[in-house]
Amino acid sequence: MDFGLADKTVLVLASSSGLGRAVAGEFLKEGASVVITGRDADRLAATSAELERVAGRRPRHLPCDITKPEDIARLVAFASEESGSVDVLVNNAGGPPAGTFDDFDDKSWIAAFELTLLSYVRAIREVLPLMKKKGWGRIVNSTSSSVREVLENLILSNTFRLGVIGLTKTLASELAPRGILVNAIGPGRFDTERIRQLDLALAKRKGLTFEEVSAESFSRIPLGRYGDPAEYGKLAVFLGSEANTYITGQTIISDGGMLRAVP
Ligand code: NAP
């Protein structure tokens, strides 16, 4: 399939590790010009070099804290510097802290809102004039399988990710006449460093081995394993490409069959 990405500039937020890095890698493999970002400048530079090894092409990178509007504006200006535009925006962010209702005060709720929802709004606001000028654009908002089935002990994430779905659905209608397609994707459980750390912590808490915790998790996934982040990247590539001409306003979960709920 021709994804038509060779002449496209793709900006992936929160992409110095995990799912964001994998998304960037898959766009690079399809010939796109990719810009990656994260707060830790050293890790970002190392990821850029690593992606060049894996994908054969080097992404451009700029450190940015996506909770800061001025950083996002600077990032979009940097991303559009070479081609004059950002054609594809993949919104992604670190996860807000785990906890239940009693754990969080207003400050925590506001911080989670800024990280999980407002960062996406701000990035979209910055790229839209560029996409509208071209009459073409793709926006892919990464969320979580929790938008279909809430996860325990993750009240901040469960709340604000649903806001991303409302944003996605509404923008899809508003922007369709301008040739801009907007979709959301959500991971079930993918084998990233973050998930490994969570499983290690759980193993410690329960007095189990890491392998025992993983096996228990795998048993709840019909495909019997965690996803490879590259598999998530391929989903983002399709939705963010010229191959996608008629899917907008949708939320697509990639979870190996884990969710039993009917959408
Ligand atoms: P990860 O490996 O921890 O990656 C998070 C990325 O976000 C890093 O590159 C990090 O870089 C960047 N980041 C965090 N805060 C940032 C900020 N304020 N500004 C800019 N960059 C920031 O996590 P992941 O496993 O890929 O997960 C990505 C997202 O998907 C998270 O929201 C997670 O909750 C969600 N999710 C993941 C899974 C899964 O299976 N992996 C499942 C459901 C939901 P710096 O720290 O250097 O900034």
Side-chain angles (χ1 to χ4, degrees):
M1 187 184 293
D2 180 7
F3 290 111
L5 287 164
D7 61 345
K8 300 289 190 291
T9 299
V10 181
L11 172 59
V12 187
L13 297 194
S15 42
S16 58
S17 79
L19 298 175
R21 176 176 59 194
V23 167
E26 294 307 305
F27 273 103
L28 282 167
K29 285 181 198 163
E30 296 302 328
S33 300
V34 176
V35 173
I36 61 169
T37 192
R39 289 164 302 178
D40 180 332
D42 291 341
R43 176 152 78 148
L44 188 59
T47 298
S48 184
E50 186 198 326
L51 281 172
E52 184 176 26
R53 273 197 305 279
V54 176
R57 308 181 62 248
R58 198 184 185 99
R60 293 164 63 230
H61 64 276
L62 187 76
C64 159
D65 181 342
I66 57 169
T67 62
K68 297 187 175 151
E70 62 278 13
D71 274 26
I72 291 189
R74 205 163 42 86
L75 176 69
V76 172
F78 171 79
S80 59
E81 214 167 68
E82 285 189 350
S83 69
S85 199
V86 171
D87 305 291
V88 182
L89 169 67
V90 181
N91 278 319
N92 181 44
T100 61
F101 187 79
D102 289 337
D103 294 325
F104 300 115
D105 57 12
D106 275 4
K107 207 170 150 217
S108 312
W109 279 91
I110 290 166
F113 164 64
E114 286 180 343
L115 177 66
T116 313
L117 179 55
L118 193 56
S119 63
Y120 288 25
V121 171
R122 287 171 171 157
I124 291 168
R125 188 183 290 132
E126 291 295 331
V127 301
L128 271 189
L130 302 168
M131 291 180 176
K132 284 179 177 170
K133 199 165 146 198
K134 270 196 152 177
W136 194 94
R138 298 286 182 270
I139 297 170
V140 180
N141 294 320
S142 187
T143 61
S144 163
S145 64
S146 65
V147 299
R148 289 273 161 73
E149 200 174 274
V150 294
L151 294 165
E152 251 176 66
N153 203 37
L154 281 172
I155 193 165
L156 296 176
S157 167
N158 290 340
T159 302
F160 293 113
R161 291 191 198 280
L162 279 168
V164 174
I165 302 306
L167 174 73
T168 301
K169 198 74 186 166
T170 310
L171 274 179
S173 300
E174 292 183 9
L175 297 174
R178 311 299 294 260
I180 301 166
L181 276 51
V182 191
N183 289 287
I185 54 177
R189 280 183 90 79
F190 279 77
D191 186 11
T192 65
E193 192 51 40
R194 186 177 157 276
I195 291 292
R196 238 169 267 172
Q197 291 307 325
L198 288 174
D199 280 357
L200 273 171
L202 187 63
K204 212 168 156 192
R205 267 204 319 276
K206 289 190 162 177
L208 299 170
T209 65
F210 175 77
E211 288 70 25
E212 283 167 334
V213 165
S214 302
E216 205 276 318
S217 275
F218 295 169
S219 72
R220 283 183 275 121
I221 301 172
L223 284 179
R225 62 178 175 85
Y226 288 164
D228 177 337
E231 295 175 293
Y232 194 67
K234 290 180 202 308
L235 173 61
V237 162
F238 174 74
L239 291 172
S241 75
E242 278 190 351
N244 174 23
T245 49
Y246 204 57
I247 299 174
T248 193
Q250 300 306 305
T251 298
I252 299 175
I253 303 298
S254 176
D255 68 350
M258 183 176 77
L259 295 187
R260 301 304 203 263
V262 178

